[in-house]
Amino acid sequence: MDTIDLHSVNPWEVSFLREEVGAYFAHGVELAPGATVLDVGANVGVFSAAVYERLDGDVRIYAFEPLPPLHATLERNGRDFFAGRLTALPYGLAAAEDELDFSYFPAATIFSSSWRDAANVDAERRRVTASIVEMIRRGGLGAGPSRVPAPILRGIVGRKLRVMRELETHRVRVRPLSAVLDEQGIERVDLLKVDVEGAELDVLRGLEDRHWPRVAQAVVEVEGWRRNRDTVGEIFATRGFTVEAVQDPVQEAADIGMVFAVRRQS
């Protein structure tokens, strides 16, 4: 299947996310045709598109995106490119039913989060800058940029990320995952993908014990890696999953990492 040319808010973000999504299919995570996939923190649907392409359209995707500008684009992508196989849900996931303020960055939507606001955005921008600089130094943009001295790179990237100062606040709905599984009649989750910019534990705490056996695999991007890695891993390990916690040098610079969880065969 050809690569889907998704509608986007910022085209550069689709290209950036396309480079990332392959890393989710590692450490034992596999999908077979007919799978049901939950894309939590979908943005405009780049991960969903990668799954759809990988399974040649034989998949059922539930994509969660609470921010109205992103959800509108996700819903449009679902209509135009997914042949009815993607359901775009206009809310986020959390430990309980609630409404939260989300910060939305129009020029860099991938950093939008309920955990970022005007009070911490400067610190967040420094953290993201460190990650991007490390990626460039390791050849992520080719050999030429990797030879630029780190202080100069930090200045260039920092200036580019000033767009994170432009933010809007949206009041959005969040729901526990168990309520959604019941409402949508989802009996099996072949892959739970979570990328929610800091709210990972809230998402996982919204899944009741009665529903955990339905989850076969999960991949969670964890922010605050040193603080939260073990907690996220323990949630899966105590429920019968084999867990691998993985962090590369670029992720280390941003204090993030990935937890892969595959249910152990009985």
Side-chain angles (χ1 to χ4, degrees), residues 72-194:
T73 307
L74 174 66
E75 194 170 47
R76 183 183 174 198
N77 283 328
R79 285 195 308 269
D80 289 354
F81 303 122
F82 287 83
R85 298 302 184 100
L86 182 144
T87 300
L89 298 167
Y91 43 78
L93 294 181
E97 188 83 39
D98 204 352
E99 288 189 351
L100 299 175
D101 288 331
F102 269 62
S103 292
Y104 173 66
F105 302 93
T109 70
I110 56 175
F111 301 124
S112 301
S113 172
S114 63
W115 289 72
R116 295 190 177 111
D117 56 29
N120 66 15
V121 70
D122 286 338
E124 285 291 282
R125 191 169 67 250
R126 288 192 295 272
R127 183 180 65 80
V128 173
T129 297
S131 173
I132 294 173
V133 167
E134 185 64 23
M135 179 267 291
I136 294 170
R137 291 183 64 219
R138 291 177 176 272
L141 294 182
S146 70
R147 291 192 288 267
V148 176
I152 295 175
L153 279 178
R154 281 194 293 272
I156 294 170
V157 174
R159 285 193 293 274
K160 292 289 186 184
L161 287 179
R162 284 177 184 165
V163 295
M164 288 179 68
R165 291 178 178 168
E166 303 163 21
L167 66 86
E168 303 170 2
T169 301
H170 292 263
R171 190 78 171 170
V172 306
R173 184 185 184 191
V174 293
R175 307 186 64 198
L177 178 51
S178 278
V180 179
L181 296 183
D182 286 339
E183 184 178 283
Q184 298 290 331
I186 301 170
E187 295 296 328
R188 177 177 172 83
V189 178
D190 294 286
L191 179 60
L192 170 64
K193 167 263 184 182
V194 181

Side-chain angles (χ1 to χ4, degrees), residues 10 12-13 16-17 43 70 105 108-112 116 197:
N10 300 305
W12 71 267
E13 293 183 292
F16 177 81
L17 291 172
N43 198 276
L70 292 174
F105 302 93
T109 70
I110 56 175
F111 301 124
S112 301
R116 295 190 177 111
E197 304 298 313

Side-chain angles (χ1 to χ4, degrees), residues 6 24 27 42 52 104 114 120 159 164 180 182 189 214-215 230 234 247 264 266:
L6 292 168
Y24 283 82
H27 303 284
Y52 187 84
Y104 173 66
S114 63
N120 66 15
R159 285 193 293 274
M164 288 179 68
V180 179
D182 286 339
V189 178
R214 300 186 188 184
V215 179
D230 292 343
E234 182 88 358
Q247 184 187 57
R264 292 190 291 270
S266 57

